[in-house]
Amino acid sequence: MELESVILTTGGSVGFFKLVNIGVSKLPIPETACRNPWKWRNISTSCVHSLITATWAVLCFFLHPQMAEDLIETHSVFSHVLVSFSIGYFIYDFFDMVGNQKLSQSWELLFHHIVVITCFSLAVVSCRYVGFAVVALLVEINSVFLHLRQILRMANMGARTLYRVNSMINLGTYVVFRINTLAWMTRWLVLNRDKVPLLAYTLGSVGMAIMTAMNIVLFCRLLRSDFLKSSTREAKKEKET
């Protein structure tokens, strides 16, 4: 893809997610979510992105398996468009948060988006490391359940069986598709450091270190919120009875 096509794809993606957000605002909102309608729209839009990119990333490797053997040079137009499309989403979400949320509440995600946009932009502009970027997008498989968890909590369904099932799937996919994927990517980067220019290697290493730290913190929060606290509540109920 030429630079003009990348810009068009990215810009089209920004517009697409803006339309998705507007579409979500036209749909009924649970009464409990009316206290923060922006957050409901934002999470719902993010969930749409995760559904699309998770499916798309898996298809990239299914349709073009050669890419798994060479994550630096080998990629298809299909994969290149995916990374450009995701850049558009992260740009859209960045400005959506800047315009609607306090910096003290969103700085972690804003920082995350800056790192992702920078790394993905390097891949699509240089036409190298696109396969590596697609591997990174496999974490969106977990993001589907992560966003669904937030949607269920906002809809006051935290005590339902559906929430418990989603929590277990969320934790399982978090380990497989988020922590394991990041660990594999870090290992790949170290093993292939001779093939990667210093600038790209430094950017990738810093990005991976930041992502790993953020994801470990989030994993601990999820574990404490969905499993440790609920276990404590159940133990208290048993004592009372």
Side-chain angles (χ1 to χ4, degrees):
M1 286 177 67
E2 295 180 355
L3 183 59
E4 292 82 359
S5 299
V6 171
I7 293 172
L8 282 173
T9 303
T10 303
S13 175
V14 173
F16 171 76
F17 286 107
K18 177 63 178 177
L19 290 174
V20 169
N21 190 284
I22 293 171
V24 171
S25 69
K26 304 296 182 183
L27 298 174
I29 302 177
E31 189 175 337
T32 51
C34 289
R35 288 173 293 182
N36 194 344
W38 169 80
K39 187 176 181 180
W40 176 265
R41 295 194 305 271
N42 180 268
I43 295 169
S44 299
T45 303
S46 296
C47 193
V48 170
H49 167 258
S50 296
L51 281 166
I52 294 172
T53 51
T55 306
W56 198 337
V58 172
L59 282 173
C60 284
F61 286 108
F62 179 76
L63 298 174
H64 199 71
Q66 305 95 310
M67 189 169 66
E69 299 171 11
D70 180 13
L71 298 177
I72 300 176
E73 302 289 350
T74 304
H75 68 271
S76 61
V77 174
F78 191 59
S79 304
H80 201 276
V81 173
L82 166 61
V83 181
S84 301
F85 178 80
S86 287
I87 292 172
Y89 161 74
F90 287 114
I91 291 173
Y92 161 76
D93 198 49
F94 180 90
F95 286 105
D96 189 40
M97 286 189 289
V98 167
N100 294 280
Q101 202 171 27
K102 293 179 180 179
L103 185 61
S104 58
Q105 296 175 312
S106 62
W107 71 268
E108 289 180 57
L109 275 176
L110 292 175
F111 187 56
H112 166 273
H113 285 14
I114 290 171
V115 173
V116 172
I117 292 167
T118 303
C119 293
F120 281 14
S121 295
L122 173 66
V124 295
V125 172
S126 67
C127 290
R128 305 185 78 209
Y129 321 110
V130 173
F132 194 70
V134 175
V135 171
L137 285 170
L138 290 174
V139 303
E140 294 298 333
I141 295 173
N142 166 253
S143 294
V144 173
F145 302 101
L146 198 60
H147 294 315
L148 182 57
R149 172 186 178 274
Q150 290 179 291
I151 289 170
L152 291 172
R153 285 173 69 90
M154 288 194 73
N156 199 28
M157 296 176 67
R160 303 282 182 89
T161 302
L162 177 60
Y163 181 85
R164 297 295 298 166
V165 171
N166 182 75
S167 293
M168 289 186 283
I169 297 173
N170 180 39
L171 208 66
T173 55
Y174 198 102
V175 173
V176 175
F177 293 105
R178 197 171 282 270
I179 294 177
N180 282 0
T181 297
L182 287 169
W184 184 90
M185 290 173 69
T186 302
R187 177 179 176 274
W188 182 92
L189 199 59
V190 172
L191 292 176
N192 291 273
R193 64 176 303 173
D194 295 334
K195 301 176 184 178
V196 181
L198 181 60
L199 177 62
Y201 180 79
T202 303
L203 185 62
S205 298
V206 172
M208 293 305 302
I210 293 168
M211 294 301 170
T212 301
M214 290 178 69
N215 279 282
I216 289 173
V217 170
L218 180 56
F219 180 78
C220 292
R221 289 175 182 171
L222 288 171
L223 192 63
R224 184 173 64 250
S225 175
D226 288 356
F227 293 93
L228 299 182
K229 281 187 178 179
S230 59
S231 298
T232 304
R233 283 195 294 268
E234 287 173 9
K236 285 183 178 178
K237 285 181 181 178
E238 288 179 4
K239 285 183 180 179
E240 289 173 0
T241 55

